[in-house]
Each structure stands twice: as structure tokens, then as C-alpha cells.
Amino acid sequence: MTQGIGKLLVANRGEIAVRIIRAAKALGIPTVAACSEADVDSQAARMADEVHILGPARADKSYLNVEALLGALKATGANAVHPGYGFLSENAEFAEAVLAAGAIFVGPCPETIRRMGDKAEARRTAQAAGVPVVPGSADELFDVESAVEAAKSVGFPLLIKASAGGGGRGIRLAENQQQLREEFPRSQREALAAFGNGAVYLERFIGKARHIEVQVLGDGKQAVHLFERECSLQRRRQKIFEEAPSPVLDAQQREALSASAVRLTEALGYKGAGTLEYLYDDATGEFFFIEMNTRIQVEHPVSELITGIDLVQAMLRIAGGEPLGLRQSDIEINGAALQMRLNAEDPARDFFPSPGLVQALNWPQGEGVRVDSHLYEGYRVPPYYDSLLAKLIVHGRDRTEALARARLAVEQTTLSGMASTLSLHGELLEQPWLHTADFHTGTLETWLAERRSGGAA
């Protein structure tokens, strides 16, 4: 048991709740599944030592209900909260409330969450730490004329981005001043609706960019990186297929990228697991910091498989007061890992949500195969939350072996009772451009469009 955590409240659901409970059990920490009425029969509720019902199915009545979560802390005697990802995981006010209740928040301090959650402030912090950022506006923007003036130094094409944004919301492309004038108020409205904050900033648009991110761990004093992940295959800015390490970086680029991530992490006095996201320009080999996620990421397993480090256990140890206990020289890349997200969505119907009853379920097995999921036969996937059902993760001695194992894993998986993206991954793994790593952030959407029109292989 970690020295500071006596009982852990898991303030999340689905596969990440299961993942956290397993990590806590490995450390001898009792767990409480804080769940909605819709999740009382979930895998997480079955695995936890205790279950506390937060409220009705709606997220604002349960997983986003701060008072209900604080009530769960008090009622169960838990002295720590792991927020997982999504919901309140990057909500500084929630972290403050947990600390004010005398409990441990498994993550960075509220001020760090707030600082990195403000994208304009995150840019300034990165620049102060000597980390390159995409050319953009220096400050938050609130009116069109200020944006037009700022665009003179940023240049076109550019992106209008919500300052408090995330998940691809509030982002608009402007290729000229007229489009900037048209799209600016739309971005503001989206930002206000999604985040309660209409502030935006401008950022130069890099046409053929890769999305590469660096996993870090810090204990508030020192930090290490667990190398990078390639996350360029996205649909509507939501990741579908991830891998580690990136197949395009050479040793020198990898070292420069990783070192910049550690610089920023240590400059923040960061505590816990975090991810620094970068755009990588294929044409020039340059990389630019875009944002930091102050939580565990959906794609963290690929970093675990290439380094042998359990990130969730590390988070719990650090939150419990233990030092990092890792030196950078201890961490090496071992092979390659790939992750395929299985969502309850129907690719044949433009990815329409498809929750339902799990009728038949069989996961792949064998060397180098891992499945993170909350499903079981007979479980009814509720329609109220994110559509992620499972993550198929494979590890190989190199990328070629990992791709072969990924194909086999998809073939061996049975999931019936609802439409899912399983078959889509089978098709994706047959694409020559995937095997040669000849892709960027726009490749998947182009392929999907060609696939719909019958032009894809």
C-alpha cells in the first residue's frame, strides 16, 4: 500500500475505471467505484471493494457532480480520488475541492491544471521554458478586429482555437481574412457553449502535420519521459489508432523532443502523469508544442508496453508521497506497440452511436496482446457516455511484428450485439500507407471519405 493512500475513490467509469482499480489492487489499495445509476452493474462496480451511487445516469447528475463526489468521499472514508480521463479530470476547481476536503487528488496541483488548461497561458509557459510553439497570437482574443490585427504576424492559413478548449471543439480553419471574419464568431460560440469561455487564440496551420506526444512522469521535483507516441490517425480530431514510438523520428529528433517535454514538466513542478502534445512538420522536421494534458491518456498503454512502466501505479505512488524512483537512464524503448480503439459506433452509418447488449464476446490472446476493456457478455452498454468499448493493444520486437500481431488480434476478436469499429481496424491494417507510416493528421479522414465513395482499397 502506498504510504498516503488508505482508500481510493475512482471518480470515473468504463475501461479507465477498471484500469485504475486493477492498478490500485496491485498496490494493496482498497477501492470505491463512484458510479451512476446506469453503471451499477458495470465491470468497475463488480471489481471494486465498495460501490457508491452518485446519482442518475446523466453525467451532470453523477460523474460531473462535484458535491456528489465529495459526498462519496465522506460516506466511504476514502482519502484519495483518481479522476481518470474526461469528466472532471482536468477541472482545477474539482481538484481544489478534493484537497479542501482533506483528501489526495491523484494528479497535479490545481494551479498547474489551470495553467495548462488555458491554452494561451500554456503557450507562454512553454516559451519561457525554451520549448518551441507553433507561431500564433500572443494573447487571448475576444473580438474580430483584434484577431485580424494578430493574423498579420501569424500568417494564413491559420486555426482559430478555443483558449479553454480540448477534444477538437472550438477549432476553425481560416485561409484568408474574409474567412477569419466569418469563422471567428463561430469559434467563439462553440468555445462558449463547450467550455463556458469564449476566449480564443490564433495558431498557424501546418498542412501536413503529424500529431506526436510525449509521456512524462514527475514527482514535483524531477521528471522523466517515457518517449513519444504517434497519434496522427484521427477522425474529427479524435484519435483512433496510436503507436509508440513514432516511426518517423530519428534518435536526434527523439532526444530533442523528449528533452523539451522534460524541461517544461520540471519548470511546472509537475506531479503525476502528463502528456505534452506536439505538431511535427514532415516537410521540415520541426516540432511545436501545442498543449499539455494534465491527466492519464486513453493511449497510455502503448507507452507502458515499450518501457515496462505501469503509469497508473506510478501515479498512485507519487500521489501517496513517494518519490519518482526512476532515472531517465533506466528507461529504454523495447520494441513497438500499437493501440486500436473499439468504439460503439457504426462506420457504415457515418459512425452513428451504437450502444446495445453484448451478446458474444471473445478477446484475443497470445504473446504481446493486451486488452483494456470494461465489457462482459450480457452487459448492456449505456447510451449516455463516451462510446469507447475497448482498446486492443499489441507489442512486438519491432513495428512489423506489432502490425502482424494487430491483424491477428482483430481476427481473433468477437464482439456482437452492436455495431463497432472492429471491422474498420481490420481494413485499416491492410492499407499500404499504414505499413510505410506515410500519413499525417488528415490521412485517415481522406481515406474514410474515399472508402465511403468506393475509392479506397
Side-chain angles (χ1 to χ4, degrees):
M1 185 181 294
T2 63
Q3 56 187 9
I5 300 179
K7 184 188 289 187
L8 179 70
L9 185 82
V10 181
N12 216 297
R13 64 172 307 280
E15 69 87 17
I16 192 59
V18 170
R19 173 75 184 88
I20 294 165
I21 291 169
R22 283 181 175 151
K25 284 182 177 292
L27 296 175
I29 301 172
T31 56
V32 180
C35 66
S36 71
E37 292 173 357
D39 281 331
V40 291
D41 62 345
S42 67
Q43 187 77 278
R46 291 181 169 200
M47 291 175 59
D49 297 290
E50 298 176 45
V51 176
H52 184 94
I53 299 176
L54 296 169
R58 277 178 41 180
D60 63 330
K61 302 292 185 182
S62 53
Y63 298 107
L64 291 172
N65 188 333
V66 173
E67 291 305 315
L69 286 161
L70 295 177
L73 265 178
K74 185 176 181 180
T76 62
N79 75 328
V81 176
H82 197 308
Y85 54 70
F87 294 129
L88 295 170
S89 62
E90 292 181 286
N91 186 298
E93 287 72 26
F94 176 56
E96 284 175 335
V98 170
L99 296 175
I104 296 167
F105 182 77
V106 182
C109 70
E111 179 53 35
T112 298
I113 296 173
R114 189 173 285 113
R115 192 174 180 185
M116 291 295 100
D118 181 327
K119 301 302 185 292
E121 176 62 23
R123 280 175 56 88
R124 290 191 288 269
T125 303
Q127 287 174 303
V131 177
V133 300
V134 182
S137 56
D139 301 304
E140 293 176 332
L141 301 169
F142 298 90
D143 64 87
V144 173
E145 294 308 320
S146 297
V148 169
E149 185 63 29
K152 293 177 182 178
S153 60
V154 176
F156 290 101
L158 57 78
L159 292 174
I160 310 161
K161 304 182 75 172
S163 183
R169 290 174 293 182
I171 300 178
R172 294 273 175 163
L173 173 65
E175 297 190 12
N176 51 52
Q177 188 179 123
Q178 181 181 342
Q179 284 190 355
L180 175 59
R181 290 184 178 278
E182 293 171 352
E183 298 293 349
F184 186 88
R186 294 169 183 165
S187 181
Q188 277 195 308
R189 286 194 295 271
E190 288 178 8
L192 189 62
F195 313 109
N197 183 346
V200 300
Y201 66 98
L202 307 183
E203 185 176 275
R204 184 178 299 168
F205 176 66
I206 301 171
K208 291 189 175 181
R210 289 178 181 267
H211 183 126
I212 298 178
E213 57 191 34
V214 179
Q215 177 69 59
V216 294
L217 274 174
D219 63 5
K221 296 179 180 178
Q222 65 178 42
V224 295
H225 67 80
L226 277 70
F227 300 99
E228 82 285 351
R229 298 186 288 256
E230 170 75 63
C231 304
S232 299
L233 296 181
Q234 304 176 12
R235 174 184 171 270
R236 296 180 180 172
R237 296 189 173 90
Q238 298 296 311
K239 301 162 189 171
I240 286 180
F241 183 101
E242 301 108 351
E243 60 182 297
S246 169
V248 298
L249 297 188
D250 60 30
Q252 186 176 357
Q253 291 171 319
R254 177 167 291 116
E255 172 58 30
L257 180 71
S258 302
S260 79
V262 171
R263 280 201 308 276
L264 181 51
T265 306
E266 291 188 336
L268 290 166
Y270 194 87
K271 191 174 181 180
T275 298
L276 288 86
E277 300 192 350
Y278 295 81
L279 286 182
Y280 174 83
D281 191 334
D282 253 347
T284 66
E286 296 173 287
F287 59 84
F288 305 99
F289 168 81
I290 49 174
E291 65 180 321
M292 183 177 192
N293 293 300
T294 54
R295 53 171 168 80
I296 196 71
Q297 297 256 111
V298 178
E299 57 272 26
H300 76 272
V302 292
S303 297
E304 293 183 327
L305 289 179
I306 66 165
T307 62
I309 295 169
D310 189 307
L311 283 161
V312 182
Q313 286 190 33
M315 293 180 77
L316 294 171
R317 291 183 186 277
I318 291 167
E322 296 183 25
L324 187 58
L326 283 170
R327 295 173 299 178
Q328 194 61 61
S329 58
D330 297 329
I331 308 172
E332 298 180 348
I333 295 177
N334 174 27
L338 313 172
Q339 175 173 289
M340 297 158 284
R341 299 193 191 193
L342 302 189
N343 296 324
E345 298 171 346
D346 189 349
R349 299 173 62 203
D350 195 27
F351 294 85
F352 192 79
S354 178
L357 181 69
V358 180
Q359 296 174 352
L361 181 65
N362 183 65
W363 295 126
Q365 299 179 3
E367 186 177 1
V369 177
R370 166 177 163 178
V371 179
D372 282 16
S373 178
H374 58 291
L375 300 188
Y376 59 85
E377 285 190 3
Y379 173 64
R380 183 170 293 280
V381 177
Y384 313 105
Y385 313 111
D386 185 86
S387 63
L388 183 63
L389 299 173
K391 302 180 304 197
L392 296 185
I393 313 124
V394 296
H395 179 251
R397 289 169 293 184
D398 53 31
R399 190 171 185 267
T400 300
E401 183 173 70
L403 284 164
R405 287 179 173 171
R407 277 175 164 171
L408 190 58
V410 169
E411 291 172 4
Q412 292 178 343
T413 299
T414 300
L415 173 57
S416 68
M418 69 197 76
S420 78
T421 54
L422 177 63
S423 62
L424 182 74
H425 283 291
E427 292 182 48
L428 182 60
L429 287 163
E430 298 300 322
Q431 303 310 306
W433 51 260
L434 179 64
H435 289 260
T436 58
D438 182 17
F439 52 74
H440 52 80
T441 54
T443 300
L444 185 67
E445 287 195 328
T446 299
W447 175 69
L448 288 171
E450 291 172 348
R451 180 177 172 273
R452 284 195 299 272
S453 64

